[in-house]
Amino acid sequence: MGQSLRIIFAGTPDFAVPPLQRLVDSGLAPTAVYTQPDRPSGRGKRIGQSAVKLCAARLGIPVRQPATLKSPQAQAELQAQSPDLMIVVAYGLLLPPQVLCIPTFGCWNIHASLLPRWRGAAPIQRAIEAGDRQSGVSIMQMDEGLDTGPVLLEKAIDLAADETAASLHDKLTVLGAECLIEAIGHLADEGLAGPSLLPKPQNDGPISYAAKLSKTKAEIRWEDSARSIERRIRAFNPWPVAWFGLGDARVRVWRASIPNPFEPEGKNHNAHRPGEVLHCSPEGIDVATGKGVVRLIELQPAGGRRMSAADFLNARSLPGQLPVAAPSQPTD
């Protein structure tokens, strides 16, 4: 049954490429790939094609790029393909109820979290930012809600102490591809009613939402704790990249550490204010925070390249007090 399934694949960014490739490698090539329309990108605003479109073209799979799936025309075109299953991976377009019911077995979503934790747009980054010890992938039967559908299959992985959004992204996209093939195998052997693929309502655990990222909200708040700042730096690598202001420019911070990780994270010494530069060395730049000290290891000046703290200091000096962000709700 697996090889006879008529599959539609919908995805847009890099995260969706390994699942698409794995489908083809497993003899389950989709009959069509849906991806978002080509859009201007970069400083030159050149029209760019999505990673999924480029992959589908290389694999010889027909590509469709409707601006919306809400139109009767787009829905009729999808219906005409008589799909058995639609697989959605970071597609970026809303699937209305009329689309969800077109495939025989519905629409499956590969979601990069252990639902119901981190529903929404940025589950990978928010898991690291929050200090989660585990993340994973959920194969979800889509419904009309925001990542609220029942879970068909999920697998967890432990997060490394130095996990970044880039490293976790790469782990979860491979894990997602593996889970997808396993789930389709269960579907082929048992159908949706089988014991291995019985849709399970999401548990009653704490529901959290992974808010969309932005460059503005990546500003470092020195009044936060050192651990919170270090986690945000890892979570926002490679985008939008944590930063602090220096004069009229922004300095990006790509890597940081806690110089005394076993020291209790009490309030800073009264003599030091958040944002105060305590020590500069080839190992990094130590900055006081609301709780503890964070060491900046790799930075990028405006218009420049990424560099070590030592190279950064060779070209410029830092004021004794780094700017503190506008008042906001501290995190810990």
Side-chain angles (χ1 to χ4, degrees), residues 74-289:
Q75 293 169 18
E77 290 177 353
L78 186 60
Q79 180 78 61
Q81 298 173 66
S82 302
D84 295 308
L85 179 65
M86 186 168 183
I87 297 164
V88 182
V89 190
Y91 181 30
L93 290 184
L94 177 69
L95 270 61
Q98 297 89 334
V99 168
L100 294 174
C101 66
I102 288 176
T104 305
F105 298 106
C107 300
W108 291 2
N109 176 239
I110 301 179
H111 188 75
S113 79
L114 301 174
L115 293 167
R117 186 153 178 81
W118 303 125
R119 295 173 179 171
I124 291 174
Q125 295 86 348
R126 298 306 181 189
I128 296 173
E129 181 184 20
D132 291 0
R133 296 190 176 185
Q134 278 195 328
S135 183
V137 164
S138 300
I139 306 295
M140 180 190 68
Q141 185 89 46
M142 297 178 70
D143 61 15
E144 297 179 43
L146 176 63
D147 301 328
T148 56
V151 174
L152 303 171
L153 187 151
E154 70 175 8
K155 291 191 177 181
I157 62 170
D158 294 330
L159 270 62
D162 60 349
E163 201 80 70
T164 66
S167 63
L168 185 55
H169 169 284
D170 292 349
K171 293 175 184 178
L172 293 186
T173 187
V174 172
L175 182 63
E178 295 173 356
C179 289
L180 175 62
I181 298 304
E182 180 178 338
I184 291 177
H186 291 319
L187 177 64
D189 294 339
E190 306 168 359
L192 278 179
S196 301
L197 206 63
L198 191 64
K200 300 175 184 177
Q202 294 183 27
N203 64 45
D204 296 327
I207 295 172
S208 50
Y209 291 93
K212 188 176 180 179
L213 304 176
S214 72
K215 292 183 179 180
T216 301
K217 293 185 178 179
E219 182 176 6
I220 293 173
R221 303 184 297 250
W222 302 115
E223 70 270 22
D224 289 351
S225 72
R227 296 186 195 280
S228 173
I229 292 170
E230 188 270 341
R231 290 198 304 260
R232 283 169 60 85
I233 290 168
R234 289 189 286 110
F236 298 163
N237 176 352
W239 195 90
V241 188
W243 60 272
F244 63 88
L246 191 61
D248 295 330
R250 293 180 179 182
V251 176
R252 291 177 164 185
V253 182
W254 289 88
R255 281 199 304 135
S257 67
I258 307 297
N260 299 304
F262 301 109
E263 182 179 1
E265 198 183 51
K267 279 287 183 183
N268 261 333
H269 318 297
N270 291 333
H272 302 305
R273 295 178 297 159
E276 184 175 348
V277 178
L278 304 179
H279 181 66
C280 295
S281 72
E283 286 71 38
I285 301 165
D286 292 353
V287 182
T289 72

Side-chain angles (χ1 to χ4, degrees), residues 50-69:
S50 75
V52 164
K53 180 179 180 179
L54 294 173
C55 179
R58 175 174 54 81
L59 296 170
I61 303 172
V63 175
R64 291 178 171 83
Q65 297 178 273
T68 178
L69 292 179

Side-chain angles (χ1 to χ4, degrees), residues 25-75:
D25 293 344
S26 301
L28 298 165
T31 57
V33 164
Y34 280 66
T35 191
Q36 288 201 39
D38 299 343
R39 292 191 173 94
S41 62
R43 292 184 179 180
K45 296 300 180 183
R46 298 179 60 182
I47 300 298
Q49 300 178 11
S50 75
V52 164
K53 180 179 180 179
L54 294 173
C55 179
R58 175 174 54 81
L59 296 170
I61 303 172
V63 175
R64 291 178 171 83
Q65 297 178 273
T68 178
L69 292 179
K70 296 180 181 180
S71 71
Q73 179 182 353
Q75 293 169 18

